[in-house]
């Protein structure tokens, strides 16, 4: 049983460029989450998918950020016109159902994004 | 925004000693979870305590929850150098589905 995987592990880009970050959740997990973690801070929620649909995207900071999960498995976080302030570790997590009082989320190793 | 606040921000102890970290939060919760993070990368789930539970044990870990004070504590007994990491509490609020709200974390350093 593979865990959550994320690619790339590191991404360096220039200000203004477009980036895509990929997340492969644990097989069979219907819920998928994206978080962002800045240096010295805890992870902050970005978006939550239940199946193919974004059930809650209230954490996305602005319209430069977008995420998809077209087949209910792999998800891609897309950032347009990157800014230096977007530099952070982007974490993906998945869980079996996303609901209930015992909803353990399994995290991937993260993608460290650096915007120069 | 951050819901939880861990205390202390940093903790340095010797191997064999116990480490206690505290977490306070602001709103009602469904459950509270503790995670460990090494080197600023992937988070490892340690333990989950539901809002109707007061104490839970897992190996060398003991977690308490006081919903009246909106606080939780994580105790690591007989610490080892390998316990060196950042520890985060995360709350799962009563929103019908689960999204975690993390604190800023406690950096624990266990010296041999």
């Amino acid at each position: 049983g593979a865990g959550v995987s994320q690619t790339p592990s590191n991404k360096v880009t220039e200000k203004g460029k477009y980036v895509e970050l990929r997340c492969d959740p644990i097989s069979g997990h219907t819920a998928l989450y994206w978080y962002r973690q800045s240096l010295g801070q805890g992870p902050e929620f970005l978006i939550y998918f239940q199946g193919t649909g974004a059930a809650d995207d209230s954490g996305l900071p602005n319209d430069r950020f977008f995420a998809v999960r077209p087949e209910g498995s792999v998800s891609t976080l897309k950032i347009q016109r990157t800014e230096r302030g977007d530099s952070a570790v982007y974490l993906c997590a998945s869980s079996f159902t996303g609901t209930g009082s015992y909803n353990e989320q399994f995290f991937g190793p993260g993608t460290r994004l650096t915007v120069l | 925004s951050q819901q939880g606040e861990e205390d202390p921000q940093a903790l340095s102890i010797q191997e064999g000693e116990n480490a206690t970290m505290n977490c306070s939060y602001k709103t009602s919760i469904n459950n509270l979870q503790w995670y460990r993070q090494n080197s600023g990368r992937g988070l490892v789930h340690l333990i989950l305590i539901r809002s109707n539970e007061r104490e839970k044990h897992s190996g060398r870990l003991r977690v308490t929850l006081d919903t009246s004070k909106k606080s939780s504590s994580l105790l690591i007994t007989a610490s080892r150098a390998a316990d060196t990491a950042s520890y985060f509490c995360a709350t799962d609020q009563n929103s019908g589905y689960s999204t975690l709200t993390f604190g800023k974390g406690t950096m624990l350093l266990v010296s041999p």
Side-chain angles (χ1 to χ4, degrees), chain A residues 9 33 37 56 98 101 103 110, chain B residues 2 31 37 41 97-98 100 103:
Chain A
S9 56
Y33 313 80
Q37 186 176 23
D56 184 348
S101 62
N103 179 44
Chain B
Q2 311 261 220
N31 63 59
Q37 186 177 45
R41 297 307 287 264
Y97 55 84
S98 297
L100 296 177

Side-chain angles (χ1 to χ4, degrees), chain B residues 68-85:
Chain B
S68 67
K69 295 181 179 178
K70 292 187 170 58
S71 67
S72 173
S73 68
L74 171 67
L75 169 66
I76 304 174
T77 60
S79 63
R80 307 165 181 168
D83 294 329
T84 294

Side-chain angles (χ1 to χ4, degrees), chain A residues 37 41-43 89 91 109, chain B residues 35-44 84-88:
Chain A
Q37 186 176 23
Q41 303 292 316
V89 175
L91 295 162
Chain B
Y35 285 82
R36 184 185 72 214
Q37 186 177 45
N38 292 85
S39 304
R41 297 307 287 264
L43 290 129
V44 174
T84 294
S86 291
Y87 292 81
F88 294 89

Side-chain angles (χ1 to χ4, degrees), chain B residues 28-48:
Chain B
S28 63
I29 61 171
N30 190 27
N31 63 59
L32 184 144
Q33 305 179 35
W34 285 90
Y35 285 82
R36 184 185 72 214
Q37 186 177 45
N38 292 85
S39 304
R41 297 307 287 264
L43 290 129
V44 174
H45 184 268
L46 295 177
I47 198 165
L48 179 153

Side-chain angles (χ1 to χ4, degrees), chain B residues 5-76:
Chain B
E5 290 288 336
E6 285 93 340
D7 168 51
Q9 291 186 350
L11 180 60
S12 183
I13 59 173
Q14 299 289 317
E15 263 193 329
E17 295 180 339
N18 295 342
T20 299
M21 288 160 270
N22 302 297
C23 168
S24 60
Y25 57 92
K26 298 173 184 174
T27 64
S28 63
I29 61 171
N30 190 27
N31 63 59
L32 184 144
Q33 305 179 35
W34 285 90
Y35 285 82
R36 184 185 72 214
Q37 186 177 45
N38 292 85
S39 304
R41 297 307 287 264
L43 290 129
V44 174
H45 184 268
L46 295 177
I47 198 165
L48 179 153
I49 186 165
R50 299 183 196 187
S51 60
N52 62 352
E53 297 175 315
R54 292 296 167 258
E55 187 171 312
K56 205 161 182 180
H57 296 253
S58 177
R60 294 184 295 113
L61 306 180
R62 172 178 169 252
V63 168
T64 62
L65 179 65
D66 186 336
T67 52
S68 67
K69 295 181 179 178
K70 292 187 170 58
S71 67
S72 173
S73 68
L74 171 67
L75 169 66
I76 304 174

